[in-house]
Protein backbone atom coordinates (compact mmCIF):
# COMPACT_ATOMS: atom_id res chain seq x y z
CA UNK A 1 0.00 0.00 0.00
CA UNK A 2 1.46 3.38 -0.94
CA UNK A 3 2.43 5.73 1.85
CA UNK A 4 -0.01 8.40 0.68
CA UNK A 5 -2.95 6.01 1.06
CA UNK A 6 -1.84 4.96 4.58
CA UNK A 7 -1.59 8.63 5.49
CA UNK A 8 -5.09 9.32 4.17
CA UNK A 9 -6.54 6.38 6.18
CA UNK A 10 -4.79 7.59 9.34
CA UNK A 11 -6.04 11.11 8.73
CA UNK A 12 -9.59 9.81 8.30
CA UNK A 13 -9.31 7.86 11.57
CA UNK A 14 -8.05 10.95 13.40
CA UNK A 15 -10.95 12.96 11.95
CA UNK A 16 -13.46 10.33 13.15
CA UNK A 17 -11.84 10.38 16.61
CA UNK A 18 -12.01 14.17 16.87
CA UNK A 19 -15.58 14.26 15.56
CA UNK A 20 -16.62 11.51 18.01
CA UNK A 21 -15.08 13.40 20.91
CA UNK A 22 -16.76 16.65 19.91
CA UNK A 23 -20.10 14.89 19.54
CA UNK A 24 -19.70 13.21 22.97
CA UNK A 25 -18.88 16.55 24.66
CA UNK A 26 -21.79 18.27 22.94
CA UNK A 27 -24.34 15.63 23.99
CA UNK A 28 -22.93 15.52 27.56
CA UNK A 29 -23.12 19.32 27.81
CA UNK A 30 -26.70 19.40 26.48
CA UNK A 31 -27.82 16.63 28.84
CA UNK A 32 -26.11 18.42 31.74
CA UNK A 33 -27.98 21.65 30.96
CA UNK A 34 -31.32 19.82 30.74
CA UNK A 35 -30.67 18.00 34.04
CA UNK A 36 -29.68 21.24 35.77
CA UNK A 37 -32.90 22.83 34.56
CA UNK A 38 -34.99 20.16 36.28
CA UNK A 39 -32.88 19.78 39.43
CA UNK A 40 -32.56 23.51 40.14
CA UNK A 41 -35.01 23.41 43.04
CA UNK A 42 -33.13 20.68 44.90
CA UNK A 43 -30.92 21.75 47.79
CA UNK A 44 -27.23 20.96 47.31
CA UNK A 45 -25.98 18.13 49.58
CA UNK A 46 -24.49 19.25 52.89
CA UNK A 47 -20.72 19.58 52.88
CA UNK A 48 -18.42 19.86 55.89
CA UNK A 49 -14.92 21.12 55.12
CA UNK A 50 -12.04 19.66 57.12
CA UNK A 51 -11.38 21.98 60.03
CA UNK A 52 -7.80 23.20 60.45
CA UNK A 53 -5.85 21.30 63.11
CA UNK A 54 -6.03 22.82 66.57
CA UNK A 55 -2.63 23.73 67.91
CA UNK A 56 -1.67 21.74 70.93
CA UNK A 57 -0.56 23.66 73.97
CA UNK A 58 2.44 22.00 75.58
CA UNK A 59 3.18 24.76 78.12
CA UNK A 60 1.06 23.47 81.01
CA UNK B 1 19.34 -2.32 46.01
CA UNK B 2 19.77 -2.84 42.27
CA UNK B 3 17.75 -1.16 39.60
CA UNK B 4 15.99 -4.34 38.48
CA UNK B 5 15.05 -5.52 41.97
CA UNK B 6 13.51 -2.07 42.53
CA UNK B 7 11.72 -2.28 39.21
CA UNK B 8 10.21 -5.70 39.89
CA UNK B 9 9.22 -4.83 43.44
CA UNK B 10 6.41 -2.63 42.11
CA UNK B 11 5.01 0.53 43.67
CA UNK B 12 5.59 1.03 47.37
CA UNK B 13 3.31 2.74 49.86
CA UNK B 14 4.39 6.13 51.17
CA UNK B 15 3.61 5.39 54.81
CA UNK B 16 3.99 9.02 55.87
CA UNK B 17 1.36 10.15 53.40
CA UNK B 18 -0.86 7.22 54.33
CA UNK B 19 -0.64 8.03 58.05
CA UNK B 20 -1.42 11.71 57.39
CA UNK B 21 -4.51 10.72 55.39
CA UNK B 22 -5.63 8.23 58.03
CA UNK B 23 -5.44 11.09 60.54
CA UNK B 24 -7.51 13.33 58.25
CA UNK B 25 -10.07 10.55 57.79
CA UNK B 26 -10.41 10.27 61.55
CA UNK B 27 -10.74 14.06 61.98
CA UNK B 28 -13.43 14.28 59.30
CA UNK B 29 -15.32 11.29 60.68
CA UNK B 30 -15.26 12.62 64.23
CA UNK B 31 -16.41 16.00 62.95
CA UNK B 32 -19.71 14.61 61.64
CA UNK B 33 -20.31 11.50 63.75
CA UNK B 34 -21.06 11.80 67.43
CA UNK B 35 -18.82 9.60 69.55
CA UNK B 36 -16.74 8.95 66.42
CA UNK B 37 -13.83 7.47 68.34
CA UNK B 38 -15.91 4.38 69.13
CA UNK B 39 -15.77 3.46 65.42
CA UNK B 40 -12.90 1.88 63.53
CA UNK B 41 -12.33 3.26 60.05
CA UNK B 42 -11.46 2.15 56.56
CA UNK B 43 -11.55 3.87 53.22
CA UNK B 44 -14.00 2.48 50.67
CA UNK B 45 -15.55 3.60 47.43
CA UNK B 46 -18.62 3.12 45.29
CA UNK B 47 -18.62 2.67 41.55
CA UNK B 48 -21.47 3.85 39.38
CA UNK B 49 -21.10 2.48 35.87
CA UNK B 50 -23.50 3.76 33.25
CA UNK B 51 -23.67 2.98 29.56
CA UNK B 52 -24.34 5.62 26.96
CA UNK B 53 -25.26 5.53 23.30
CA UNK B 54 -25.05 8.90 21.58
CA UNK B 55 -25.63 7.70 18.04
CA UNK B 56 -22.30 6.75 16.50
CA UNK B 57 -20.50 7.24 19.82
CA UNK B 58 -21.15 4.71 22.55
CA UNK B 59 -19.35 3.45 25.62
CA UNK B 60 -19.53 3.53 29.40
CA UNK B 61 -18.86 6.06 32.14
CA UNK B 62 -17.72 5.21 35.65
CA UNK B 63 -18.30 7.54 38.59
CA UNK B 64 -16.25 6.87 41.71
CA UNK B 65 -17.54 7.99 45.11
CA UNK B 66 -15.03 8.00 47.96
CA UNK B 67 -16.26 6.93 51.39
CA UNK B 68 -15.02 6.88 54.95
CA UNK B 69 -16.53 3.71 56.39
CA UNK B 70 -16.76 3.41 60.16
CA UNK B 71 -17.90 0.38 62.08
CA UNK B 72 -18.76 -0.30 65.67
CA UNK B 73 -18.64 -3.97 66.50
CA UNK B 74 -20.50 -3.66 69.81
CA UNK B 75 -23.47 -1.82 68.23
CA UNK B 76 -23.45 -3.76 64.98
CA UNK B 77 -23.42 -0.47 63.10
CA UNK B 78 -21.73 0.77 59.95
CA UNK B 79 -21.53 4.50 59.23
CA UNK B 80 -20.72 5.73 55.75
CA UNK B 81 -19.44 9.27 55.17
CA UNK B 82 -18.95 10.51 51.59
CA UNK B 83 -15.69 12.34 50.96
CA UNK B 84 -13.22 13.33 48.22
CA UNK B 85 -9.74 11.93 47.44
CA UNK B 86 -7.89 14.89 49.01
CA UNK B 87 -10.05 14.66 52.17
CA UNK B 88 -10.76 18.39 52.13
CA UNK B 89 -14.29 17.79 53.36
CA UNK B 90 -17.12 15.31 53.72
CA UNK B 91 -20.87 14.98 53.43
CA UNK B 92 -23.49 13.88 55.91
CA UNK B 93 -23.12 10.42 57.46
CA UNK B 94 -25.50 7.55 56.77
CA UNK B 95 -26.08 4.91 59.43
CA UNK B 96 -26.66 1.23 58.71
CA UNK B 97 -27.71 -0.61 61.86
CA UNK B 98 -27.87 -4.38 61.55
CA UNK B 99 -31.21 -4.47 63.35
CA UNK B 100 -32.72 -2.03 60.81
CA UNK B 101 -31.30 -3.13 57.46
CA UNK B 102 -32.98 -5.55 55.08
CA UNK B 103 -29.90 -7.58 54.15
CA UNK B 104 -26.13 -7.41 53.85
CA UNK B 105 -23.68 -9.69 52.11
CA UNK B 106 -20.31 -9.77 50.47
CA UNK B 107 -20.50 -9.86 46.72
CA UNK B 108 -17.96 -11.80 44.72
CA UNK B 109 -18.99 -11.03 41.16
CA UNK B 110 -18.60 -8.73 39.21
CA UNK B 111 -16.68 -6.96 41.98
CA UNK B 112 -15.60 -7.97 45.45
CA UNK B 113 -17.87 -5.56 47.34
CA UNK B 114 -19.66 -5.26 50.66
CA UNK B 115 -23.33 -4.84 49.78
CA UNK B 116 -25.91 -3.38 52.18
CA UNK B 117 -29.63 -3.09 51.43
CA UNK B 118 -31.15 -0.65 53.95
CA UNK B 119 -34.57 -1.38 52.38
CA UNK B 120 -36.06 -2.76 49.18
CA UNK B 121 -35.63 0.53 47.33
CA UNK B 122 -31.87 0.80 47.14
CA UNK B 123 -28.49 -0.53 48.10
CA UNK B 124 -24.90 0.52 48.62
CA UNK B 125 -21.96 -1.54 47.37
CA UNK B 126 -18.73 -0.64 49.17
CA UNK B 127 -15.47 -1.62 47.49
CA UNK B 128 -12.36 -1.66 49.63
CA UNK B 129 -8.73 -2.62 49.04
CA UNK B 130 -5.52 -2.65 51.07
CA UNK B 131 -4.16 0.28 49.10
CA UNK B 132 -4.97 2.09 45.86
CA UNK B 133 -2.20 3.98 44.08
CA UNK B 134 -4.27 6.51 42.09
CA UNK B 135 -4.44 9.62 44.29
CA UNK B 136 -6.63 11.48 41.81
CA UNK B 137 -9.42 8.94 42.18
CA UNK B 138 -9.00 7.38 45.63
CA UNK B 139 -7.88 8.31 49.12
CA UNK B 140 -4.21 7.37 49.50
CA UNK B 141 -4.18 5.14 52.55
CA UNK B 142 -2.68 1.77 53.40
CA UNK B 143 -5.17 -0.26 55.45
CA UNK B 144 -4.31 -3.95 55.32
CA UNK B 145 -4.96 -4.59 59.00
CA UNK B 146 -8.11 -2.47 59.22
CA UNK B 147 -9.58 -4.04 56.09
CA UNK B 148 -9.04 -7.51 57.50
CA UNK B 149 -10.81 -6.47 60.70
CA UNK B 150 -13.69 -4.91 58.74
CA UNK B 151 -14.05 -8.01 56.56
CA UNK B 152 -14.19 -10.18 59.66
CA UNK B 153 -16.78 -7.89 61.27
CA UNK B 154 -18.91 -7.72 58.13
CA UNK B 155 -18.90 -11.45 57.44
CA UNK B 156 -19.25 -12.68 61.00
CA UNK B 157 -21.27 -9.99 62.77
CA UNK B 158 -23.04 -7.80 60.21
CA UNK B 159 -24.02 -10.00 57.24
CA UNK B 160 -27.75 -10.69 57.12
CA UNK B 161 -29.89 -12.76 54.74
Amino acid sequence: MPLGEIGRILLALVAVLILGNLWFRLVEWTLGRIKRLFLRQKDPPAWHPLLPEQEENDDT
Amino acid sequence: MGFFSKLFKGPEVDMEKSAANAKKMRALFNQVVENGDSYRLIFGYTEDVSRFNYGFVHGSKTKIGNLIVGWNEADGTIVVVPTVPDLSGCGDPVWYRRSEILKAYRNKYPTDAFVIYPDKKGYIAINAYDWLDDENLYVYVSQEEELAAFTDFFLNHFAKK
Side-chain angles (χ1 to χ4, degrees):
Chain A
M1 196 186 282
L3 272 177
E5 205 172 322
I6 295 171
R8 273 198 295 276
I9 291 169
L10 281 176
L11 217 65
L13 286 174
V14 169
V16 167
L17 188 82
I18 292 168
L19 199 71
N21 256 298
L22 285 173
W23 178 244
F24 173 75
R25 303 262 172 226
L26 180 74
V27 176
E28 282 281 295
W29 179 82
T30 313
L31 286 175
R33 298 285 290 194
I34 294 167
K35 271 183 200 164
R36 217 179 301 159
L37 211 71
F38 286 103
L39 300 174
R40 200 177 280 175
Q41 275 80 25
K42 277 197 174 175
D43 289 330
W47 194 248
H48 313 276
L50 178 67
L51 298 174
E53 265 186 87
Q54 287 179 347
E55 283 179 40
E56 287 172 25
N57 283 326
D58 296 328
D59 48 353
T60 48
Chain B
M1 194 183 284
F3 171 75
F4 285 105
S5 53
K6 253 191 178 174
L7 189 75
F8 291 121
K9 213 176 169 191
E12 284 179 64
V13 186
D14 181 343
M15 290 312 286
E16 214 168 286
K17 197 190 284 181
S18 167
N21 277 343
K23 208 173 153 190
K24 275 189 192 175
M25 274 169 57
R26 171 58 68 189
L28 274 175
F29 189 82
N30 286 5
Q31 229 175 270
V32 292
V33 176
E34 203 181 320
N35 204 12
D37 277 327
S38 63
Y39 293 82
R40 290 178 76 179
L41 302 182
I42 58 158
F43 155 70
Y45 67 92
T46 56
E47 254 182 348
D48 179 10
V49 182
S50 61
R51 294 200 163 276
F52 65 85
N53 184 348
Y54 300 156
F56 74 103
V57 179
H58 26 124
S60 65
K61 287 186 290 181
T62 307
K63 279 185 198 163
I64 306 280
N66 284 245
L67 308 167
I68 301 170
V69 181
W71 79 99
N72 184 316
E73 205 163 324
D75 294 355
T77 305
I78 290 176
V79 182
V80 173
V81 179
T83 187
V84 281
D86 66 356
L87 295 163
S88 57
C90 67
D92 282 336
V94 181
W95 272 264
Y96 299 99
R97 295 179 183 89
R98 192 179 187 275
S99 55
E100 292 170 7
I101 60 164
L102 183 70
K103 60 180 173 177
Y105 59 89
R106 193 181 189 192
N107 205 20
K108 280 281 166 200
Y109 184 82
T111 53
D112 196 359
F114 301 96
V115 184
I116 304 170
Y117 279 80
D119 47 46
K120 279 183 187 174
K121 285 180 226 158
Y123 72 93
I124 181 168
I126 302 165
N127 298 280
Y129 291 95
D130 292 344
W131 170 59
L132 291 160
D133 196 12
D134 193 343
E135 285 177 72
N136 294 320
L137 283 179
Y138 311 103
V139 174
Y140 190 101
V141 70
S142 173
Q143 52 180 11
E144 201 174 328
E145 208 177 292
E146 290 302 285
L147 181 59
F150 178 74
T151 306
D152 177 66
F153 162 74
F154 193 92
L155 296 177
N156 301 316
H157 304 284
F158 194 80
K160 191 176 178 181
K161 283 184 182 178

